[in-house]
Amino acid sequence: MRDAGSAAAEFDLFYGRTAAGILRQLVLLTGDLGEAEDVTAEAFERAWLRWSEVRDYASPEAWVRTTARRLAVSRWRRMRNASAAWLRHGPPPSTPELEPEHVALVSALRRLPQRQRVAIVLHHLADLSVQEVADETGASPSAVKQQLARGRSALAGLLTDAPPEADLSPGLAIRKEHP
């Protein structure tokens, strides 16, 4: 029985002696350097995992080359089958445009703090009860109720049809002149 250190040294020697040649052969077989590198590396990895068995074959190099070739054929078949499936599937259905109300709701929800947004979405859009929202978020039912109340209040202001109010910060105050 050989020790692990000598097996590793033996495999390293085998790899150094054969890897470039096998890679060149796989490039010619696949027509693609990247694909050839992938299947060659995977074949050598498999050889390493079975080295105690593979090293005693009449030609470990032939085993690696055959494994790499089979891997390349398997990948080619998967790609061909996937391509055929996509062709059978047909073009993707057209995506309908979003309604303006949907866009406004998403925009308004994004402006809420995360806890309020989560509570609103889970309770009102996913139809979970307050208790289910509390269980899912780890908050107490009273905290969920508070987040819902604050979130609804904030959404009411964000989803109004009225034009946005002007910023009346102290430096921007508008003065009305009296006649």
Side-chain angles (χ1 to χ4, degrees):
M1 182 175 202
R2 299 173 187 146
D3 67 13
S6 67
E10 184 182 349
F11 182 82
D12 288 346
L13 181 63
F14 166 72
Y15 179 84
R17 199 177 66 246
T18 60
I22 291 174
L23 176 62
R24 279 193 300 275
Q25 295 160 13
L26 266 294
V27 167
L28 294 172
L29 287 171
T30 63
D32 183 326
L33 176 61
E35 182 72 13
E37 288 172 337
D38 288 348
V39 295
T40 300
E42 187 170 341
F44 272 105
E45 179 182 349
R46 290 180 181 196
W48 169 245
L49 294 172
R50 297 181 178 101
W51 186 241
S52 62
E53 178 185 336
V54 171
R55 71 174 164 211
D56 293 330
Y57 289 165
S59 177
E61 181 178 355
W63 186 92
V64 171
R65 184 176 33 257
T66 301
T67 300
R69 184 175 42 79
R70 288 178 178 163
L71 288 166
V73 168
S74 292
R75 286 180 174 202
W76 177 80
R77 284 183 180 147
R78 274 194 308 273
M79 288 187 332
R80 182 193 65 194
N81 292 340
S83 178
W86 279 109
L87 289 174
R88 280 192 309 270
H89 186 271
S94 62
T95 305
E97 286 194 36
L98 296 175
E99 296 292 324
E101 295 82 15
H102 180 84
V103 174
L105 177 60
V106 170
S107 176
L109 283 168
R110 284 183 180 158
R111 296 176 65 186
L112 294 179
Q114 183 177 352
R115 289 183 183 169
Q116 291 175 18
R117 182 173 53 245
V118 168
I120 294 284
V121 169
L122 293 178
H123 183 68
H124 292 290
L125 302 174
D127 292 325
L128 298 182
S129 69
V130 170
Q131 184 60 53
E132 290 170 324
V133 174
D135 292 343
E136 193 164 316
T137 61
S140 68
S142 62
V144 170
K145 288 177 186 177
Q146 185 179 43
Q147 295 302 327
L148 285 170
R150 290 178 179 170
R152 284 190 291 257
S153 175
L155 280 177
L158 294 170
L159 293 174
T160 182
D161 286 336
E165 293 182 17
D167 183 8
L168 298 179
S169 301
L172 300 174
I174 300 173
R175 296 181 196 196
K176 288 187 179 181
E177 293 191 23
H178 296 282

